[in-house]
Each structure stands twice: as C-alpha cells, then as structure tokens.
C-alpha cells in the first residue's frame, strides 16, 4: 500500500476495489496520483474510467500498431467517431461499438441502447446519422435460449433504429456454439457532416458554461462500463440494473436539437454520455482540452429523488450530452432543446485549473486531476507466447486428404456421421444453404426499416455491401443532383480467426474491402470492434495480439486506415460445471467506401440470361498441386458436413487481393461487370446458388477438368474470389481488358470463364460432361429462405 | 399552391415526404410544427410516418391532442385534403377522421418490405389517375399496421366505396386485406404503405408518384 499522511478512508478498501473491478496496484497508483487516498465517490470514478471499456487497459499497446492516417482521414482514433473526407465538401463520420454484455442479460434493451449509443457518437461530431449496420453472433438456434436472445436483440435494434428514423441498411449474423450465453451485438453508424466544422470534445474557454442536455439522470446502468469488462456468470443476472433503458423518441429529438445547436456555432465542445456517464464526459472534455471542469450535481436534471453523488456520477442513463457553450448563448441554446421536449441545464463551468471538481449540496464531493482519470491510464501488460497454443497446432496438422474419398456423385461419409453414409453434391449444397450462418437473413432485416431517409440504394440481401446515396440533408434538392454514395459493410470470419487469429483477421479486412469493391465502391477506412475472451490467459492474449497484427497488416496493404472502434474483452461464460467457455475471437471489421457513380452499383443477382459468368481471384485448380490460398481447412463444408472445426485457414495473399479488387472496380466503372458476388462461406457452389436465388435465373457452370478433389472445387474457401457476370455482347472487349490486365501485371492470371446465366430455373454444375449439381431454383430458395424462420418456429412464406 | 407536412416530435418521414414532393415532383412543401395552428395557403396536409411523441400509450394516441390537429379538423371540414401515411394513418383513426384502428401486426414483428397492392376505388382524388384493380408496389414499414374495425364499419366502408387500397398478400393480418381507406367525402386518405418511398427511381420504384401528385388536385 502507498505511503503518505492522508490514507485514512471510511470504507472497506478491498471490498470497494472488488466492486469497482479495480486491482490493488490500481489503488496504489490512484493514491500516488492524488497524493492522498480517494474517497468512495472518487474510487468509483476511477473504477469506470480505468475499465477496459473506457481506457483499453489490456489492448492499448496492440492497438497502437494500427495504421491511422491517410489522405482522406480527417479524424482518427480518440474522438467520438472517425471522420473521412468524401470530397465535394462532404465528410463521413462512422464508428462501431459493442453492447455484448448488456445484450446477454437483457437482449431487447441491451441491443436497443447499443444502437442509441453509437448514434450519439456520430451526431456528437456534428454529423447527421444516415445509416446503421450491425454484426451479431448467437449460439445455435437449436437451443431455445439462443432463439430468445436473437428475437430480443433483433427486436431491440429494430425498435430503436426504426423509431429514431435512421435506416438499418446492412450487417451480418453468424452462429456458433461458443456464443451460447454470450451473444455479440456490435452496432455501426454512419453520419454525413452538414456543419462546416467537426465538433470535437476538448473543452476550451475558461469560465464558459457547461450545459447538460437530453434525458434526465436516473439510477439505470450503474457502473455499466466495469460490468462490461468482466466475464458473464449466473450471478451476472443480478447485475441487471447495469443494463440501461433506451428511449429512441428522446434520441430523435436530441439529434434534431443537437444538429440545430451545432449549426448555430454556439457549441464549442460536445461529448455524449455513454459508458461512465457524467464522470467520463467531464474528465474526457477536461483532459482533452487541457483544462478543468466544475460540475454541480444539484443542477443535474434528476429522474428520482435522493440520488447520491456516486449514483449521479456513474449513472449510464441514456440520451444525455454535455456541451461547452459560448457565454451569453446558453439561454437560446437551451430553448432549442426544451422545444424538442428535452432537459437542458447549466451544470457547471470550465476551469483553468486542470481538475474535475464535483459539488453536491454545496460541498466538494470529488476533486480529481482530469488527466489522472483520463490520461496515462494503467496498462495491463501480458506476455505473448512465442508458439501457437498446442490445441491450435494440433488443428493445423489437419490436411484435406484426411477426408473420405469423393466420387462424381458425392461423398462417402464415415458410418458414424449423423447424415448417414452417402451424401450427393446436391444434398451437400442444400445443407450448406440451410446453415443459418449462410442462409438468408431476411427474417432479421425485414424487421429493420432500411428505407427511411429515402437514400437506400442497395437494400439488405441485394448486394455484397449496403449503398446509401449522399444527398445533402439541407436545402430543397432535386433528383438529378447527386449520383455519389457511400457503401458500408461489416465482416468477420470468426471460424478462421479462431483457427488462426492473424490470417482470420487479415481475411476480415480483405473480405470487407472485397464486399465494397463488389458494389463498385472504393474502400476508404475501417472501424473495428475487437470482441475477445479474457486477455489474461496465454491463449486469449495470443488471439488478441495476433488478430491485431493481422488487422494492422491488412489495413496497411489495402490502404484502409483504422479510425477508431471498440474493444470488448472477457466475452466468455462460466458453464454449470465451472468450465469457462470463451467465444471465438471476433474482430469485426466495419468498412466504408465511396461510390463515385450510383448508376454503376452492382448487386449479386444475374441481370440477363446469356450473360457470361467469370471467376476472379485464384482460379479453380486443374492439378493435384493445390494452391495454398484456397482450402477446405476451416471451411463451412468441413463444419456443416463433416462436423469439425479444424485445419489452418488458407494463406491470405494481400497483393493479389489488391489486384483483384482494383481490377473489379475498374471493370464495374467501365460497365463490363453487371453483377458481382464474392465467394465466402460455402465457396463456389454456395456463391453461384446465391446469385441464382437473387436473380431468379439459373446458371450452368462447367468446371475445368481437374485432378483436385471435387469437394475442393465446389466448396473450398479463400483466394480473393469473386463471381462476376458480363454481357455476352461484350465478350470480345472483356477478353481484351483481361489480356491488358495480364500484360500490366504478368503472371497473375486471375480470371477464369466458368459458364453462363440461363433462363432455366435450375442450377447446373458439370465437369467433363458429368452432372455434379443439378437443382431447381425453388428448392435452393426454399432452403435458403426458410433456414432461420424454420428454426425460430415460424414460416415466412405465408407473408411474402 | 403548396402542401404542408406536419412535424411531431418523433416524426421521421417528414423529410422524406418533403424530398418526394419537392425534390422529385416539384410540389412546394412547408413543414408545420405540431404546435402551430396556421394552415393558411395550403392545398393539402400530409401527416407523415414516424413515432409521434414516441408512440407511447398507443400509436397516435397522444398526437391527436396536438394544436396543429385542431386546425386540421377544421381544414378537413372545409374540404381540405389530408393524407395520413403510416403513423399519420394511425393518428387519423385516433382523431376520428377515419374509422377503425391499427394494431400490432399478426406476426408481432415490424415488417419492412415492398408490398403489392390493388387499387380498390378510384372514386377519390388520390387515385383518380388509376383504374380499379390496378396493381401498385409500395413499401411498407410498420409494427402496428393491422387494420381492424367492426363488421358494421367494414360494411359502411364498402357502401361508401371508401376502401382505397388492398394488399395482394396480406402481410399484417388487416381486416379484408385493407391497406388504405378514405373518409366518406373522400378528402381524407389514410394508408399504411409509404408512397413517398416510391417516387425516386434511384432508390426504388415510382408507383407512389400518382398519389402525391394528386395532393395539388
């Protein structure tokens, strides 16, 4: 314990530290910084500010390796959201954030407030929110608890997003047993800047009034940040007061009032109250501005009587913001908020002295140097093991030749397989389309209003990335005025990250950029959400460190800097037998891109029978000498059909990725490519089926003669592959373009002709005259569309 | 000549209606704050979609006490045209300008997708550009769009030729597949689908244009 004269406290230090999630050495450090012992209120403030959620105490050294600058980056990590320059006087604020732990306990409110929080990060910067996306993970739907969690989460997201009037335009949902009991809910928001100046959070102007706006402060969400930084146990259910309750109606008013207020130029700094509420917003504003803030709790609009200073400071009541305002303008500013039915009050002022001073009933109840809370926060260093964990090394030993022998008709499975002994390629494809991770997510996205604001060019399920038109929100406008848009996507191949965190994370970035390129958008920047188990185990830290290394490498090579994000650790559940079940490490990559001409946006669906189908990326093998960039290791096929998650995911060739993507974007711009869809879970067969289902046209693919395994040709993953369709009338010109591309970068043949779009309502895949797959479209669609509703106990077909 | 778009706290399609009317169809448009009572110079008023006053209690139940709606009732009595879209339809039923009520969808879920509709009556100015049984595709986006009324009211609606639009594949469990109705005199139309989301070719179809164009008579 620390030395000094003033260490007497009126509380049980050990118990208080446990309650705040702090460690004994943190307490020593707090005493050192204050030159005295903290009182109980101050200790609570340190508890939330020094949690992983607020200060990245485990992950900060790893995050520092991310590339964060570039010619389009206006604001990088550290502010409420990143901002990129879109040209033409427009800029885009965007960020992703998790609400995993609250959603595990109270899925509806947990997810709803996740949406509310990420929206506030966007409009705090002065941007009007124009789109929402989300990345969700659940345990298998065969367990009704997971059905309940998914229903609640989707409904919570829908409730908040729909009501607040921001379209939910895209996302991803995946399932794995590691997420049972610890679902992941990551929400991403995009905002278009309408004000000339970005509103930052650093306070300035000594003596300037500090104004509180929005909702009242209640006892909800007490200590949510420290709760979010601990593992989930059965006892966590008792922490339900740590889950906040959201009010999207208030948030809608807050958006309008804030954007009006920012336009007036009277707000010199703004910070939303998210994690750690008043404590965080005051200390961050003060620390970033190099000044202090005095806060009088008696003036804070309270939801209930008798709240203690501790409760005021740690409340995570939603829909609240703190401003520093130009003196003399506070009344007119507050009137804007009152007009929208919101609270507004002067609660303090900016101090020259660099402290956060909190008053309650005329007494100073906390006084802490601002930077002691917000700057130089402690770092928990962990040792990175030099070799992959043994259980992972064992998985890397898996090779494709361990699989049973395949024939033209299908595969002969081991007798212990739950599918019986033989499966045809048709049956395997249908099983993959019935896998909820692969299947249509229509059950989810039809609950989201994806059209409000009248700018959604690509609705969910139509293209590989969402596309939203960049229409100025101010002014009258006309239809011909704008032809630019932004594209956005979230991606994470969690099974690959689990098997190889570095390759998996690289693949997440590569796939996100590929999805943007598929709609014709130029990838610009990344926001990442690192969802990981505890970093305190050697494997946990190895996963986190290697995933960060992979993200960093891929973001550098693909020129998509990281502008911020969120870290959510301790995503694990303590099972009834005491065993810890960690989640698959899940670094979700949110990426935004610029669409220069909306007229060229590509969807997944074929446009016309007779169009030619080409495969970009690593071509289909024709010999047994397999390309290491494509593999069945870690594939959906291996998991869904053979019941194993094993193998080392394929090598990620970032150079090839860049080449393929820029070639694709040019081909879209030049009008050659009419549809584009990347190969992901389930490989070629699933991708071609999805293009057919979307188009309601069939396809006939003729695979090249090959000595490689047929399951590898049909279902292998990796290789930066994209299926595109090209009009038959442009066949000659397209061939010329390909030749030119190959001359420009010799040796990298990356386009292979595979077949044609047909008017037959059938998918046919042949090789050397043998029919491998032959399935009617309605059977493909039935599997694909009903996989999730069937497991939710519903039938969607009755209400199409 | 212009139309007014009412803005309640919680309206969220107000800007979209303005975009469709003014940006796509060149109809002059002005916003009407819920506390204003001035409807002078307006040819028509639109109650847009959204969640007026948070839709607490019951959709549209609080909105009906808004000052702007007192003026609206007089406006309707004088023959002014009023179009209620989605939440606006809910407000019109709460206000008593249209019969029946809108309740939770049969599936209990919010539904956002394109809906195929048929024109059931072209008696009113709204749909005079269409023939009976014309097909229209308009987006729907609602959680409480299941139209319900008594058998007697349904008969009355039929007698008055006041059923304007029906769903082809009823998505929400509405009585008699009703998607939109008018009042007896035909100057008030309420519908759950969003015509303002179907006026702009960049984002989808344009089947909503006729409805909005008829606002100016």
């Amino acid at each position: 314990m620390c030395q000094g004269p003033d260490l007497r406290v009126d509380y049980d230090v050990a118990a208080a530290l446990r309650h705040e999630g702090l460690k004994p050495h943190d307490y020593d450090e707090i005493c050192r910084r204050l030159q005295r012992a903290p009182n109980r209120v101050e200790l609570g403030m340190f508890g939330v500010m020094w949690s992983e959620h607020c200060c990245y105490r485990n992950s900060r050294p790893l995050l520092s390796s991310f590339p964060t600058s570039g010619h389009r980056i206006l604001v990088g990590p550290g502010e409420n959201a990143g901002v990129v320059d879109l040209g033409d006087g427009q800029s885009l604020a965007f960020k992703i954030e998790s609400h995993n732990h609250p959603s595990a306990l109270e899925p509806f409110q947990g997810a709803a407030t996740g949406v509310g929080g990420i929206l506030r990060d966007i409009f705090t910067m002065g941007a009007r929110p124009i789109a929402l996306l989300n990345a969700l993970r659940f345990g298998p739907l065969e367990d009704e608890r997971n059905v309940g969690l998914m229903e609640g989460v989707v409904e919570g997201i829908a409730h908040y997003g729909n009501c607040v009037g921001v379209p939910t335009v895209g996302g991803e949902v995946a399932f794995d047993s590691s997420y049972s009991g610890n679902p992941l809910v990551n929400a991403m928001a995009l905002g278009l800047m309408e004000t000339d100046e970005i509103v930052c959070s650093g306070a300035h102007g000594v003596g300037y009034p500090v104004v509180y706006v929005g909702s009242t402060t209640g006892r909800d969400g007490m200590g949510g940040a420290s709760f979010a930084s601990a593992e989930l146990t059965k006892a966590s259910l008792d922490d339900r007061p740590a889950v906040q309750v959201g009010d999207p109606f208030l948030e809608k008013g807050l958006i309008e009032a804030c954007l009006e207020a920012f336009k007036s130029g009277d707000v010199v700094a703004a910070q939303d109250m998210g994690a750690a509420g008043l404590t965080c917003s005051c200390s961050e504003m003060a620390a970033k501005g190099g000044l202090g803030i005095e806060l009088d709790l008696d003036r804070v609009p309270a939801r209930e009587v008798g709240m203690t200073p501790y409760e005021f400071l740690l409340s995570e009541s939603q829909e609240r913001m703190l401003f520093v305002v130009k003196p003399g303008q506070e009344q007119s500013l507050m009137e804007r908020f009152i007009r929208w039915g919101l609270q507004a009050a002067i609660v303090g002022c900016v101090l020259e002295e660099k402290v956060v001073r909190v008053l309650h009933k005329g007494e100073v109840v906390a006084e802490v140097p601002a930077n002691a809370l917000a700057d130089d926060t402690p770092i928990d260093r962990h040792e990175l093991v030099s070799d992959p964990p043994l259980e992972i090394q064992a998985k890397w030993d898996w090779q494709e030749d361990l699989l049973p022998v395949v024939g033209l008709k299908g595969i002969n499975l081991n007798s212990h397989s739950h599918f019986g002994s033989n499966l045809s390629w048709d049956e395997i494809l249908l099983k993959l389309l019935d896998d909820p991770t692969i299947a249509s997510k229509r059950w989810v996205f039809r609950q989201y209003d994806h059209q409000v604001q009248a700018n959604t060019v690509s609705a969910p399920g139509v293209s590989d990335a969402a596309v939203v038109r960049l229409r100025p929100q101010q002014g009258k406008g006309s239809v011909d005025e704008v032809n630019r848009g932004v594209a956005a996507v979230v991606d994470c191949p969690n099974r690959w990250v689990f098997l190889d965190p570095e390759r998996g994370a690289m693949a997440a970035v590569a796939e996100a950029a590929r999805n943007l390129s598929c709609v014709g958008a130029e990838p610009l920047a990344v926001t990442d959400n690192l969802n990981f188990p505890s970093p305190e185990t050697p494997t946990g830290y190895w996963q986190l460190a290697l995933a960060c290394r992979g993200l960093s490498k891929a973001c550098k090579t693909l020129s998509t800097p990281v502008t911020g994000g969120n870290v959510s650790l301790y995503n694990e559940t303590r099972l009834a037998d005491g065993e810890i079940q960690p989640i698959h490490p899940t670094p979700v990559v949110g990426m935004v891109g610029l669409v220069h001409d909306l007229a060229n946006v590509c969807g997944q669906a074929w446009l016309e029978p007779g169009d030619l189908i080409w495969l970009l990326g690593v071509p289909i093998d024709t010999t047994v000498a397999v390309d290491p960039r494509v593999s069945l290791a870690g594939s959906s096929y291996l998991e869904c059909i053979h019941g194993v998650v094993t193998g080392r995911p394929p090598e990620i060739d970032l150079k090839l990725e860049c080449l393929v993507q820029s070639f694709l974007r040019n081909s879209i711009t030049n009008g050659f490519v009419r549809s584009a869809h990347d190969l992901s879970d389930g490989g070629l067969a699933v991708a071609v089926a999805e293009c057919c289902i979307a188009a309601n046209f069939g396809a006939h693919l003729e695979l090249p003669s090959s000595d490689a395994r047929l399951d590898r040709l049909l279902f292998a993953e990796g290789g930066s592959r994209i299926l595109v369709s090209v009009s038959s009338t442009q066949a000659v010109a397209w061939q010329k373009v390909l030749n030119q591309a190959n001359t420009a970068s010799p040796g990298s043949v990356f386009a292979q002709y595979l077949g044609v779009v047909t008017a037959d309502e059938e998918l046919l895949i042949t090789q050397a005259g043998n029919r491998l797959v032959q399935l009617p479209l309605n059977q493909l669609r039935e599997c694909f569309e009903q996989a999730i509703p069937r497991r939710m106990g519903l039938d969607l077909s009755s209400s199409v | 000549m212009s139309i007014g778009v009412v803005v309640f706290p919680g309206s969220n399609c107000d800007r979209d209606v303005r975009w469709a009317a003014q940006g796509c169809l060149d109809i002059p448009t002005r916003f009407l704050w819920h506390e204003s009572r001035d409807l002078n110079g307006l040819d028509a008023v639109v109650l847009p979609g959204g969640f007026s006053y948070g839709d607490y209690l019951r959709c549209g139940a609080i909105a009906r006490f808004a000052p702007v709606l007192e003026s609206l009732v007089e406006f309707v009595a004088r023959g002014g045209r009023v179009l209620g879209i989605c939440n606006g339809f809910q407000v019109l039923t709460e206000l008593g300008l249209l019969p029946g009520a809108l309740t939770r969808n049969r599936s209990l879920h919010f539904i956002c997708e394109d809906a195929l509709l048929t024109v059931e009556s072209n008696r009113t100015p709204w749909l005079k550009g269409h023939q009976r049984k014309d097909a229209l595709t308009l987006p729907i986006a609602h959680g409480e769009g299941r139209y319900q009324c008594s058998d007697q009211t349904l008969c009355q609606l039929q007698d008055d030729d006041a059923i304007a639009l029906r769903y082809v594949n009823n998505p929400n469990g509405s009585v008699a597949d009703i998607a939109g109705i008018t009042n007896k005199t035909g100057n008030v139309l309420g519908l759950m689908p969003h015509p303002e989301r179907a006026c702009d070719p960049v984002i989808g179809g344009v089947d909503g244009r006729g409805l909005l164009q008829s606002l100016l008579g």
Side-chain angles (χ1 to χ4, degrees):
Chain A
M1 284 289 156
C2 57
Q3 310 297 308
D6 196 11
L7 291 179
R8 283 161 302 163
V9 290
D10 55 0
Y11 55 91
D12 175 350
V13 173
L17 287 175
R18 266 199 310 281
H19 185 256
E20 303 301 342
L22 288 166
K23 299 179 171 124
H25 61 83
D26 292 332
Y27 188 76
D28 296 347
E29 179 62 22
I30 294 166
C31 294
R32 193 188 63 77
R33 291 184 183 202
L34 296 182
Q35 295 295 303
R36 61 177 169 81
N39 66 33
R40 188 64 187 85
V41 173
E42 291 164 341
L43 190 73
M45 294 166 74
F46 278 101
V48 286
M49 289 299 290
W50 287 10
S51 65
E52 175 67 30
H53 189 88
C54 287
C55 83
Y56 308 112
R57 57 188 296 160
N58 291 285
S59 55
R60 197 145 27 103
L62 301 171
L63 303 180
S64 64
S65 71
F66 290 164
T68 56
S69 56
H71 73 283
R72 285 196 184 266
I73 308 300
L74 298 177
V75 176
E79 282 292 342
N80 286 298
V83 182
V84 290
D85 184 2
L86 300 174
D88 289 3
Q90 290 177 314
S91 44
L92 183 79
F94 68 106
K95 195 181 180 199
I96 195 165
E97 195 161 86
S98 66
H99 241 214
N100 302 335
H101 287 74
S103 303
L105 300 191
E106 217 295 52
F108 181 92
Q109 286 298 344
T113 52
V115 174
I118 195 64
L119 287 172
R120 279 193 298 286
D121 280 336
I122 298 303
F123 66 81
T124 306
M125 304 290 292
R128 175 175 286 279
I130 58 167
L132 285 163
L133 295 93
N134 52 72
L136 310 178
R137 294 289 183 285
F138 300 99
L141 295 177
E142 281 66 29
D143 181 341
E144 73 260 21
R145 280 175 313 166
N146 294 325
V147 170
L149 283 170
M150 174 151 146
E151 280 200 322
V153 164
V154 171
E155 210 165 319
I157 291 171
H159 166 69
Y160 208 102
N162 297 352
C163 183
V164 82
V166 180
T168 302
V169 295
E172 53 148 21
V173 189
F175 302 86
D176 183 85
S177 56
S178 69
Y179 304 109
S180 276
N182 193 137
L184 300 186
V185 178
N186 295 178
M188 175 173 165
L190 277 60
L192 184 59
M193 291 294 206
E194 295 183 316
T195 44
D196 296 336
E197 281 187 29
I198 297 167
V199 184
C200 285
S201 55
H204 57 104
V206 172
Y208 280 23
V210 172
V211 175
Y212 169 115
V213 298
S215 183
T216 50
T217 296
R219 290 188 171 105
D220 52 334
M222 296 294 307
S226 20
F227 151 72
S229 305
E231 77 187 44
L232 288 167
T233 62
K234 236 180 166 152
S236 303
L237 288 173
D238 303 332
D239 276 334
R240 257 181 276 211
V243 182
Q244 317 85 338
V245 177
D247 184 343
F249 163 66
L250 275 181
E251 179 115 328
K252 167 71 175 154
L254 194 57
I255 293 175
E256 301 302 333
C258 281
L259 293 178
E260 283 176 16
F262 295 151
K263 226 186 313 171
S264 73
D266 296 336
V267 179
V268 301
Q271 173 79 42
D272 88 295
M273 285 185 241
L278 275 166
T279 299
C280 186
S281 50
C282 283
S283 47
E284 297 247 325
M285 290 179 95
K288 278 187 190 148
L291 293 168
I293 283 182
E294 183 174 273
L295 175 70
D296 185 351
L297 296 178
D298 297 330
R299 295 179 173 191
V300 171
R303 192 169 303 166
E304 42 203 320
V305 291
M307 285 179 61
T308 64
Y310 181 92
E311 288 167 337
F312 270 113
L313 287 166
L314 271 67
S315 160
E316 292 189 5
S317 290
Q318 299 287 293
E319 293 92 21
R320 301 178 302 157
M321 315 259 281
L322 213 54
F323 293 159
V324 174
V325 178
K326 282 184 188 159
Q329 305 303 318
E330 52 275 36
Q331 279 312 324
S332 63
L333 180 121
M334 291 196 299
E335 276 159 23
R336 292 179 195 280
F337 287 84
I338 291 161
R339 178 172 180 264
W340 282 99
L342 299 164
Q343 301 286 331
I346 301 169
V347 293
C349 64
V350 178
L351 302 174
E352 189 167 10
E353 196 187 346
K354 298 174 184 174
V355 296
V356 174
R357 181 182 299 138
V358 183
L359 309 176
H360 185 241
K361 300 198 187 303
E363 281 181 29
V364 175
V365 291
E367 181 162 325
V368 181
N371 51 8
L373 279 166
D375 286 352
D376 303 321
T377 48
I379 292 176
D380 291 348
R381 298 203 180 269
H382 305 278
E383 200 181 333
L384 177 58
V385 291
S386 52
D387 293 318
L390 290 175
E391 66 272 21
I392 294 295
Q393 290 188 37
K395 289 183 187 292
W396 288 3
D397 287 339
W398 182 88
Q399 297 296 328
E400 284 174 6
D401 54 19
L402 292 170
L403 285 171
V405 179
V406 300
L408 285 172
K409 296 216 178 312
I411 190 159
N412 191 325
L413 291 172
N414 301 330
S415 51
H416 60 260
S417 159
H418 54 291
F419 293 136
S421 57
N422 288 300
L423 274 182
S424 69
W425 300 126
D426 282 353
E427 287 168 325
I428 291 173
L429 176 54
L430 292 174
K431 281 192 192 306
L432 286 169
L433 291 173
D434 183 56
D435 174 22
T437 299
I438 292 175
S440 167
K441 306 302 183 296
R442 183 165 159 254
W443 183 87
V444 175
F445 64 69
R446 85 199 279 258
Q447 296 188 50
Y448 303 148
D449 187 340
H450 51 259
Q451 302 168 322
V452 64
Q453 295 194 10
N455 288 314
T456 307
V457 176
S458 254
V462 170
S463 55
D464 281 13
V467 180
V468 176
R469 173 173 55 188
L470 284 169
R471 176 161 58 86
Q473 301 278 333
Q474 301 303 326
K476 295 172 180 174
S478 78
V479 196
D480 318 315
E481 209 174 20
V482 201
N483 68 342
R484 303 196 318 152
V486 283
V489 72
V490 282
D491 265 308
C492 181
N494 50 274
R495 187 172 45 227
W496 282 16
V497 185
F498 165 66
L499 291 168
D500 186 332
E502 186 172 4
R503 286 187 182 177
M506 285 161 75
V509 179
E511 182 169 352
R514 202 182 312 130
N515 284 330
L516 293 179
S517 296
C518 281
V519 297
E522 172 199 351
L524 296 180
V526 161
T527 176
D528 66 301
N529 206 137
L530 304 178
N531 307 277
F532 281 75
S534 165
E536 294 172 27
T537 68
T539 298
Y541 191 70
W542 174 80
Q543 290 174 334
L544 183 61
L546 268 81
C548 287
R549 190 185 292 171
L551 286 176
S552 183
K553 267 189 202 170
C555 287
K556 278 178 191 146
T557 311
L558 294 170
S559 305
T560 50
V562 179
T563 62
N566 174 245
V567 179
S568 168
L569 303 180
Y570 304 95
N571 286 290
E572 45 197 29
T573 358
R574 192 181 291 274
L575 304 175
D577 60 4
E579 191 97 352
I580 299 270
Q581 166 70 63
I583 62 158
H584 276 182
T586 314
V588 172
V589 171
M591 197 183 280
V592 294
L594 182 59
V595 178
H596 295 277
D597 187 353
L598 290 173
N600 290 329
V601 166
C602 276
Q604 296 174 356
W606 318 124
L607 289 198
E608 206 179 341
D611 284 359
L612 312 175
I613 301 169
W614 285 74
L615 178 69
L616 306 184
V618 174
I620 287 176
D621 315 282
T622 50
T623 65
V624 277
V626 296
D627 192 309
R629 296 171 295 182
V630 173
S631 179
L632 286 173
S635 65
S636 291
Y637 167 74
L638 208 54
E639 179 170 12
C640 294
I641 307 301
H642 298 275
V644 284
V645 175
T646 193
R648 187 171 192 192
E651 284 174 19
I652 310 297
D653 182 347
L654 292 173
K655 210 174 134 218
L656 174 73
E657 192 70 60
C658 291
L659 280 172
V660 170
Q661 289 187 24
S662 75
F663 175 75
L664 172 65
R665 289 196 302 272
N666 287 334
S667 305
I668 290 174
T669 306
N670 296 331
F672 285 108
V673 167
R674 306 182 86 186
S675 74
H677 181 30
D678 86 314
L679 272 60
S680 178
D681 287 341
L684 176 67
V686 165
V688 72
E690 287 170 343
C691 298
C692 291
I693 293 167
N696 211 21
F697 291 131
H700 177 193
L701 301 192
E702 167 70 21
L703 302 184
S705 294
S706 172
D707 295 326
R709 301 174 57 93
L710 283 175
D711 48 2
R712 182 177 160 85
L713 301 193
L714 291 168
F715 306 114
E717 297 170 14
S720 313
R721 285 171 162 179
I722 299 157
L723 271 184
V724 300
S725 64
V726 175
S727 168
S728 58
T729 60
Q730 291 198 295
V732 178
W734 168 250
Q735 192 60 58
K736 213 168 130 190
V737 168
L738 288 175
N739 294 344
Q740 278 166 358
N742 279 331
T743 318
S745 46
S748 61
V749 179
F750 50 79
Q752 190 175 28
Y753 174 71
L754 286 187
V756 288
V757 178
T758 64
D760 314 332
E761 296 201 351
E762 172 181 270
L763 171 61
L764 178 63
I765 304 180
T766 56
Q767 187 193 43
N770 296 305
R771 293 180 175 209
L772 304 178
V773 171
Q774 184 173 21
L775 283 164
L777 286 195
N778 56 15
Q779 203 177 347
L780 294 171
R781 182 178 296 110
E782 173 75 12
C783 265
F784 186 68
E785 288 288 345
Q786 294 300 331
I788 291 177
R790 187 164 61 75
R791 288 172 174 83
M792 306 298 284
L794 297 159
D795 182 9
L796 260 189
S797 58
S798 62
S799 58
V800 171
Chain B
M1 295 283 277
S2 67
I3 62 164
V5 179
V6 174
V7 181
F8 300 107
S11 293
N12 64 28
C13 299
D14 43 343
R15 292 158 169 274
D16 299 3
V17 172
R18 183 175 68 169
W19 166 249
Q22 195 157 282
C24 302
L25 301 171
D26 247 350
I27 303 171
T29 304
R30 90 171 196 241
F31 284 140
L32 301 169
W33 184 243
H34 66 125
E35 286 168 337
S36 96
R37 293 169 195 270
D38 177 15
L39 304 184
N40 285 331
L42 295 175
D43 293 275
V45 174
V46 180
L47 302 179
F51 294 74
S52 52
Y53 306 96
D55 273 349
Y56 296 119
L57 191 60
R58 206 169 57 237
C59 294
I62 304 175
R64 76 188 186 94
F65 296 107
V68 71
L69 295 185
E70 284 178 31
S71 308
L72 190 81
V73 172
E74 294 160 22
F75 183 78
V76 168
R78 290 198 308 269
R81 289 179 190 177
V82 174
L83 173 63
I85 303 168
C86 199
N87 189 228
F89 185 13
Q90 294 161 346
V91 173
L92 289 174
T93 59
E94 286 288 337
L95 204 54
L97 287 177
L98 292 174
L102 293 140
T103 59
R104 283 294 290 277
N105 294 345
R106 184 179 42 196
S107 68
L108 304 182
H109 290 304
F110 192 96
I111 303 172
C112 177
E113 62 191 11
D114 279 346
L116 190 58
L117 305 161
T118 53
V119 174
E120 291 299 313
S121 164
N122 59 352
R123 177 180 65 95
T124 63
W126 311 101
L127 294 159
K128 63 175 190 273
H130 293 277
Q131 300 297 313
R132 248 172 218 267
K133 299 297 168 192
D134 266 4
L136 290 180
T137 301
L138 298 178
I140 56 166
H142 57 247
E144 302 187 28
R146 180 181 191 176
Y147 184 76
Q148 305 223 55
C149 63
S150 65
D151 293 347
Q152 196 187 351
T153 303
L154 185 60
C155 287
Q156 190 67 49
L157 285 170
Q158 280 157 345
D159 292 348
D160 294 343
D161 193 17
I163 298 173
L165 294 165
R166 279 197 164 109
Y167 300 108
V168 175
N169 303 304
N170 190 341
N172 54 23
S174 290
V175 163
D177 302 328
I178 286 174
I181 56 171
T182 60
N183 62 351
K184 190 169 182 172
T185 45
N187 60 329
V188 177
L189 169 67
L191 77 171
M192 288 315 293
H194 287 266
E196 83 280 13
R197 296 184 183 187
C199 291
D200 179 348
V202 178
I203 56 168
V206 290
D207 282 2
R209 288 187 160 207
L211 263 167
L212 290 191
Q213 266 155 344
S214 66
L215 286 170
L216 283 187

